Amino acid sequence: MKKKRNESKMDKGFSLLISIILVFTFLAIIVFSVSHKISKEMAASATQNLNESLDLIKCTIEAILNKEAEYQRLMAQGIAAMEEPEKYIREYTRSETMMKIALIRSGETEGISSTGEVFTEAGMDFSAGGTIDGLPVSQSYLNYMGTWAYCIKCPVVRDGQEIATLYVEYVYDSFDKSLPEGFYNKRAMLYIMDAETERFVLKPKGMGERSAGHLNLTDFYRANDIQEEGLREDVEACLKENKNIMFYHDVRSKNSLNYMWAVNDGTIYLIGYVPIEAIQQEGRSVNQNILIVVAVMLIAFFLCCLLYYLNQRQQIKIRKEREIEREISNQRLAEALQAAQIASNSKTMFLSNMSHDIRTPMNAVIGFTTLLARDAENPDKVREYTKKIMASGQHLLSLINDILDVSKIESGKVVLNVEEFTLNDLVSSVDAIIRPMAEARDQRFFVEVTGIKHECLLGDETRINQILINLLSNAVKYTPTGGKIWLRIIGLKQRSSQYEHIRIEVEDNGYGMTQEYLKTIFDAFTRAENSTTNKVQGTGLGMAITKNIIELMGGTIEVSSEVNQGSLFRVDLEFRIPERQTDKCFWMEKGISRILVADAEEEVCGNIRTLMGAVDVKADTVHSLEEALSLLQGCGSEQDKYHVILLESNLVKTSVLQTVDRLREEAGYMIPVLLLAEHDEEKMESILEAENTAILIKPFFVSAFKEKIKEMQAEVAQSGENKTEESNSLEGMHFLAAEDNEINAEILREILMLEKAECDIVENGQLAVERFDSSQEGEYDAILMDVQMPVMNGYDATRAIRNLRREDAKKIPIIAMTANAFAEDEREALNAGMDVHLAKPIDIELLKQVIRQYTKNNE
């Protein structure tokens, strides 16, 4: 009977349990249905909110553009009423929005601008037909400050007649202050793109999940893996028809809503994407609250179950839950341990590489220093050891500079120093470094320059030099003995008449790289690992630095390679052309208006014709020595005669002297003859025996040709060099130095003693001020000032000296010698009153030159 009663209770209990499960299952179905409906509705609402946000940004930008056009019309009306509008243009001071204004009179092609140079419309492209409030607007371009800008032109009308056209240059950066600080909690990406060129001209602050932006629409496709042909065709159609488009696509492994929003009738576009999880944030919050309620109900359900069952079953369940929690905890600990081990291995690998690369030159420095102490009485050994210590120290310094460069790039402190430079100087400086390295490994180094229209350009020559040396030094390192290396500088079709479009190619036939390594070649601290290349030292930072500098300049870099076949690096850059007249006076003064060029390669001849034609010098070209002699025989009249002959060395079949004599029999014995030659040709030196002859190293540059003509006509003597060396001597000079490091002070004293100069050294800036204040006027020729010192630093000491009440306090040269080598350190030194900033380790020749320069200025 009792057994039946117990069975009846158990049946009732199971029935009740099943009823509860059914009720909760029904409730769960209802809750999840409601949750799904809410998510769907809120997603639609979020998409609508995105439309409204984009419309708001669009209206803001169009309002700014319309205001600019309206203000420009008012400006044009004011100029029309002026008697001297040109004076107004010249006196205009640029604002944050309008960087430059210009005016061209009707019927004329040139005008004036607020920056002072001659202005033409040739540098602007209004062909797309875009307008702002009825005024034509140009395609976007990089202005002389390196900032993306656009130009609006407006007619200037007086008494119903158009008398001129007003051009105003605006920068896209002015939009930044008017746009919202964040976009979907700064998780969305937003760019402003010029529709015609498809270049990204602005990334507003607070827009985007990463610091490095895209350059153009193609880069945006590639970085976000948008490769579907149909999708890209829809985007192209959107651009052509000035329409808006939205589409879903995975970006960086996140499902995102991509958009392209037309602004100002499609002249510019808002480009970007918003992660779906950011759009559906509110829907997730609601669902989370629903899930919390469901979880509470489930907890209540489990509590009822636990109270229903016996205490023993309750304990078993608790024990099982604890075991599950322990397993989860153990799993998380294992994952954390694995992540820590991966991080530790990465750190260990980097430290191992750096330890090896730093210890190698340090071992040489310490080892040769030991040998130097042993063989101090042997001058030959001392010079040999000193040379090797210097080479090891320079290598160690290059490793440190690579790490500092990466640190500056990652912190965004790299600033381009845009100045005028020539391709001739750039190629010569790189050639002087790379060619000895290649010759030491019995490699052949070729330099080719073709299609260049302008030798003189605007850019950061130091950084360009760094790019070339990084690429070429790697080519030398990873090319076996007897290999070949090519440097090609190719002029491409100009996108704008104000910019020279240049391609730089560095190719070798060396070891090559695997396809797997090519994917990470531009990542920091990566190097190709195999038995052949492991002996090559380096930080693995060169390619990362190179890519960051190229992108900072607005360029691109590509690489292709095959194992044991070699590698090819291709860099595309644009440089602004200086706004000045070509130097034609030199050739007129020297009486050179016609030259003869004999070279077997038509490409070289065409390059010389183009470059010399720019300076109004006619270049007749032939491809053999016989053609040159035949052409010279036909020059009977004075106006047909040639003033200079350029002859390729490979055309010389006999001796150089005989060939020159044959040419002069036809052209005249005083005509200058220049031999176009490669660096490694054996017959170069024999030409120096002939009078009025010289060697011009390929590739051909007008500036190098000009300097060679000067050298041939000036007859620079050796005595001039000796005078220059004497003028840089420090003998008899007296210096005051502030240096708190005893070793650095001892080195400085010894260096100056070698130069027969005296030096008083004090330990801090305060003592330097007191010593100078108590000295006689003229006692010290210059002050060498460290920066980081106790008591008083170098900046404060310099200000204190400049404020002393004595005549020489304002004039005495103060030279900063410090390990603080960043650009901001140099600016701070100059602002403090120092004359020049020299970074340690000190180059004695540079120090001598600087000291002499400033002491002569004072004299």
Side-chain angles (χ1 to χ4, degrees), residues 592-599 605 608-609 612 617-635 640-648 651 663-664 666-667 671-676 700 705:
I592 299 175
S593 61
R594 193 179 185 198
I595 65 174
L596 175 61
V597 182
D599 195 294
C605 293
I608 296 176
R609 284 197 302 268
M612 296 307 298
V617 175
K618 183 180 180 182
D620 293 337
T621 59
V622 294
H623 304 304
S624 67
L625 181 61
E626 290 70 21
E627 290 182 70
L629 292 170
S630 175
L631 198 59
L632 290 172
Q633 290 173 358
C635 298
D640 292 336
K641 289 185 177 180
Y642 295 102
H643 305 122
V644 180
I645 298 176
L646 301 181
L647 176 65
E648 184 195 12
L651 298 181
L663 292 170
R664 285 180 171 162
E666 305 296 337
I671 187 170
V673 178
L674 278 76
L675 193 69
L676 295 171
F700 178 85
F705 184 28

Side-chain angles (χ1 to χ4, degrees), residues 404-459:
L404 292 177
D405 265 349
V406 168
S407 175
K408 287 197 292 182
I409 289 170
E410 289 180 347
S411 62
K413 292 184 178 180
V414 174
V415 179
L416 295 178
N417 183 22
V418 178
E419 294 179 344
E420 193 170 306
F421 72 95
T422 64
L423 289 177
N424 177 43
D425 292 341
L426 178 67
V427 172
S428 298
S429 63
V430 171
D431 187 272
I433 295 172
I434 300 301
R435 192 168 295 279
M437 296 170 57
E439 290 176 350
R441 294 172 59 88
D442 195 23
Q443 298 168 342
R444 297 197 65 188
F445 179 43
F446 303 93
V447 180
E448 302 173 5
V449 179
T450 56
I452 299 297
K453 296 181 180 178
H454 302 86
E455 292 182 30
C456 189
L457 302 168
L458 290 175

Side-chain angles (χ1 to χ4, degrees), residues 453-645:
K453 296 181 180 178
H454 302 86
E455 292 182 30
C456 189
L457 302 168
L458 290 175
D460 192 331
E461 183 177 8
T462 301
R463 292 296 181 182
I464 303 167
N465 191 290
Q466 183 179 4
I467 292 170
L468 292 177
I469 290 176
N470 276 348
L471 295 175
L472 288 168
S473 62
N474 276 351
V476 172
K477 291 176 185 177
Y478 294 101
T479 299
T481 301
K484 296 180 181 180
I485 299 165
W486 293 267
L487 168 62
R488 305 185 188 96
I489 300 180
I490 306 167
L492 302 179
K493 182 179 179 181
Q494 292 176 262
R495 296 190 179 102
S496 168
S497 60
Q498 295 179 337
Y499 289 87
E500 183 81 15
H501 191 190
I502 290 178
R503 171 169 292 169
I504 299 171
E505 291 185 350
V506 174
E507 185 177 5
D508 63 73
N509 61 349
Y511 305 123
M513 294 170 281
T514 64
Q515 297 302 311
E516 291 74 15
Y517 177 64
L518 287 179
K519 298 175 182 178
T520 61
I521 185 173
F522 296 115
D523 295 342
F525 310 115
T526 59
R527 292 190 293 183
E529 299 292 338
N530 58 59
S531 59
T532 305
T533 62
N534 278 348
K535 295 181 181 179
V536 179
Q537 297 182 3
T539 58
L541 299 173
M543 287 296 98
I545 293 171
T546 299
K547 185 174 187 293
N548 278 286
I549 293 174
I550 290 171
E551 290 181 346
L552 188 63
M553 293 180 175
T556 59
I557 181 170
E558 299 175 352
V559 58
S560 58
S561 180
E562 292 185 16
V563 176
N564 297 326
Q565 297 296 321
S567 303
L568 171 63
F569 288 85
R570 183 176 288 118
V571 177
D572 285 359
L573 292 168
E574 285 187 309
F575 298 102
R576 190 174 181 87
I577 303 168
E579 297 179 357
R580 61 182 181 85
Q581 296 294 325
T582 307
D583 183 13
K584 302 177 182 178
C585 298
F586 171 81
W587 307 98
M588 295 176 62
E589 292 172 359
K590 300 300 181 182
I592 299 175
S593 61
R594 193 179 185 198
I595 65 174
L596 175 61
V597 182
D599 195 294
E601 297 183 22
E602 174 57 32
E603 192 173 29
V604 174
C605 293
N607 190 48
I608 296 176
R609 284 197 302 268
T610 301
L611 293 175
M612 296 307 298
V615 293
D616 291 344
V617 175
K618 183 180 180 182
D620 293 337
T621 59
V622 294
H623 304 304
S624 67
L625 181 61
E626 290 70 21
E627 290 182 70
L629 292 170
S630 175
L631 198 59
L632 290 172
Q633 290 173 358
C635 298
S637 61
E638 187 68 28
Q639 62 181 6
D640 292 336
K641 289 185 177 180
Y642 295 102
H643 305 122
V644 180
I645 298 176

Side-chain angles (χ1 to χ4, degrees), residues 103 107 389 664 732:
L103 186 72
I389 290 172
R664 285 180 171 162

